[in-house]
Amino acid sequence: MPELTLIYFNARGRAELARWIMAYGDIKYTDDRIERENWPARKPNIFTGKVPVLMVDGKPLPESIAIARYLARMADLVPQDSYEAARVDAIADRLNSAMTETHGILYKTEDEKEKTEKFDKHKEEVIKPFFSQLNKHLEGRQWFITNKTTWADLFIGMSMTWLRMKSPGILDNYPNITALVDKVLAIPKIKEWNDKQPKDLPF
Ligand SMILES: N[C@@H](CCC(=O)N[C@@H](CS)C(=O)NCC(=O)O)C(=O)O
């Protein structure tokens, strides 16, 4: 097992999926959490100037999704079948792009009226079609890929937990997504990880 250090801010953000995967797989690592005031001094020494970065035996791995996929292999959260593994990649890409857009609207729009308008439009045009399809896909399935937990489930659980905090009721019409999220949150290792996080830790 390589020596791993996950570098990110003292927040959940784009590092939290990696942390959930490592909690699930009992993967040992150093959780290097940078306080905001120390970021200007650290940034020039970070590979891409962006975090998260996973240091693997001293070598940098950037990009949250690449990091998640790499760790998911170690945690046995990637399907053996290539098509199923690619389906997991596809949902991760779609979720990442929808959540990045959501994040941009909620955190980078200053004017409250404009934020509400943009978010309503985003819900109509991006969230609703996406969630309807995902909800339908999950019908009769135990997990995103039928009967085996994969990192797609953890990503869905983690993103939707954040989204539900920001927009309570957003999953009201999607019972299969809600059931999956609740199931992920009840996985003992994930529950244990979440229970020990400070209540005021930014998402
Ligand atoms: N595509 C990258 C985005 C990385 C990114 O934008 N990281 C932000 C934090 S979420 C960052 O490093 N911000 C500080 C900066 O740009 O100085 C990923 O998914 O890892």
Side-chain angles (χ1 to χ4, degrees):
M1 179 72 77
E3 200 178 305
L4 301 172
T5 299
L6 183 67
I7 308 172
Y8 195 64
F9 297 116
N10 190 16
R12 291 182 174 90
R14 287 186 181 271
E16 197 60 12
L17 176 59
R19 296 192 188 112
W20 281 29
I21 293 171
M22 290 192 278
Y24 179 94
D26 262 330
I27 297 170
K28 302 281 164 275
Y29 68 106
T30 303
D31 203 358
D32 180 358
R33 291 170 183 253
I34 306 171
E35 296 301 336
R36 286 281 170 178
E37 63 270 25
N38 298 329
W39 176 237
R42 293 285 305 271
K43 186 175 165 87
N45 302 316
I46 302 280
F47 182 50
T48 55
K50 299 269 181 199
V51 283
V53 167
L54 182 71
M55 299 304 294
V56 181
D57 284 336
K59 295 179 301 223
L61 177 63
E63 291 298 329
S64 52
I65 300 300
I67 293 169
R69 193 180 294 113
Y70 170 78
L71 293 169
R73 275 194 204 105
M74 282 186 195
D76 192 22
L77 282 168
V78 175
Q80 292 292 320
D81 178 82
S82 302
Y83 173 74
E84 288 186 344
R87 281 302 306 266
V88 171
D89 288 346
I91 190 74
D93 284 348
R94 191 164 181 199
L95 198 49
N96 186 39
S97 122
M99 290 305 121
T100 301
E101 212 181 313
T102 311
H103 192 277
I105 293 167
L106 295 180
Y107 289 96
K108 290 177 189 157
T109 319
E110 304 263 309
D111 183 76
E112 285 305 319
K113 186 168 171 279
E114 189 190 340
K115 187 189 289 188
T116 306
E117 281 168 10
K118 277 190 182 172
F119 191 48
D120 285 347
K121 187 167 181 283
H122 176 65
K123 278 194 282 194
E124 245 355 271
E125 291 176 2
V126 177
I127 301 280
K128 271 193 191 170
F130 178 22
F131 285 12
S132 302
Q133 288 157 18
L134 180 58
N135 194 65
K136 199 168 160 209
H137 169 81
L138 291 172
E139 187 70 47
R141 284 189 161 83
Q142 218 194 327
W143 299 101
F144 179 77
I145 295 290
T146 317
N147 57 2
K148 177 174 179 340
T149 318
T150 64
W151 65 284
D153 302 303
L154 270 54
F155 198 6
I156 293 167
M158 202 270 302
S159 310
M160 301 294 170
T161 300
W162 170 73
L163 195 57
R164 261 201 307 207
M165 273 171 47
K166 291 281 146 200
S167 179
I170 198 150
L171 293 183
D172 282 358
N173 294 327
Y174 311 107
N176 301 327
I177 301 180
T178 305
L180 178 68
V181 173
D182 292 345
K183 218 148 53 134
V184 169
L185 292 173
I187 294 172
K189 296 277 182 193
I190 300 295
K191 184 171 176 348
E192 193 188 325
W193 170 257
N194 281 326
D195 284 350
K196 68 180 190 205
Q197 297 313 298
K199 294 289 165 257
D200 57 352
L201 185 67
F203 223 102

